[in-house]
Amino acid sequence: MASLARPFTLRQTCLSISRSSLPRTTAPGISQIVAFHASTKKNILPPLPQTIQGTVNDAAPVPKPHPSEGSYHWTFERLISAGLVPLTIAPFAGGSLNPVLDAVLCSLLIVHSHIGFQASITDYFPLRRVPKTRKFLTWVLRGATLGTAVGLYEFETNDIGLTGAIKRVWEA
């Protein structure tokens, strides 16, 4: 019976605390104190500059076309993603482990991963706000992609390969 009354008592206690007259400040610039709130608001990054360049009636600037951006880039990403589906199924459906097919699968996996992480860096670290961090992370990504490519190459040439390893793990 005590376990049934305990949640009711706890709920009544919380309601009475939240309704009690906690000290509240109304001075400008000072936030109000809320029940059970003890932390302060800390900005990790300062806000972006709040300036408007030009007038309201100016057209948005159109960037110069570049083959590695825009629709070409989007089409290339989709072709790689769509190509990964049959390449992942083919070695297991066919029953044979072909080293050329395995090498193509590894290459597309590396390119697909690189493009995905590059998009994340572009989205979450804008160039105008954190240019040094973005450049550093881009070089880290390039190094990780190169390291992954070398590691998969060694695994393909000196060991059983990616699809062979997946097949062994699947049958274990």
Side-chain angles (χ1 to χ4, degrees):
M1 186 66 180
S3 62
L4 293 175
R6 193 170 292 136
F8 178 77
T9 310
L10 181 61
R11 186 177 17 198
Q12 290 300 330
T13 307
C14 290
L15 287 174
S16 66
I17 288 174
S18 64
R19 291 179 187 157
S20 67
S21 59
L22 291 173
R24 296 182 185 267
T25 58
T26 56
I30 300 174
S31 63
Q32 294 183 346
I33 297 174
V34 182
F36 303 114
H37 183 71
S39 63
T40 60
K41 181 179 177 185
K42 295 182 181 179
N43 291 331
I44 296 174
L45 292 174
L48 292 173
Q50 303 294 321
T51 58
I52 297 174
Q53 297 173 353
T55 66
V56 177
N57 295 326
D58 290 344
V62 178
K64 293 181 181 179
H66 194 271
S68 67
E69 297 175 6
S71 63
Y72 297 120
H73 189 259
W74 186 87
T75 306
F76 181 67
E77 285 178 352
R78 296 310 170 265
L79 285 173
I80 288 176
S81 299
L84 279 172
V85 174
L87 281 174
T88 347
I89 298 170
F92 305 108
S96 65
L97 301 176
N98 187 351
V100 174
L101 192 65
D102 209 21
V104 172
L105 174 64
C106 288
S107 300
L108 285 183
L109 276 174
I110 290 170
V111 171
H112 177 75
S113 300
H114 181 83
I115 289 173
F117 282 116
Q118 185 179 22
S120 297
I121 290 172
T122 302
D123 289 345
Y124 291 109
F125 299 97
L127 191 59
R128 68 178 183 184
R129 187 172 190 176
V130 284
K132 292 179 182 178
T133 306
R134 182 169 171 180
K135 191 171 198 169
F136 172 73
L137 289 175
T138 303
W139 279 105
V140 167
L141 175 63
R142 291 174 182 162
T145 303
L146 182 65
T148 305
V150 170
L152 281 175
Y153 173 76
E154 288 294 322
F155 190 60
E156 289 293 321
T157 56
N158 299 330
D159 209 345
I160 59 173
L162 184 65
T163 53
I166 293 171
K167 190 172 185 178
R168 282 188 182 178
V169 168
W170 189 264
E171 293 173 352

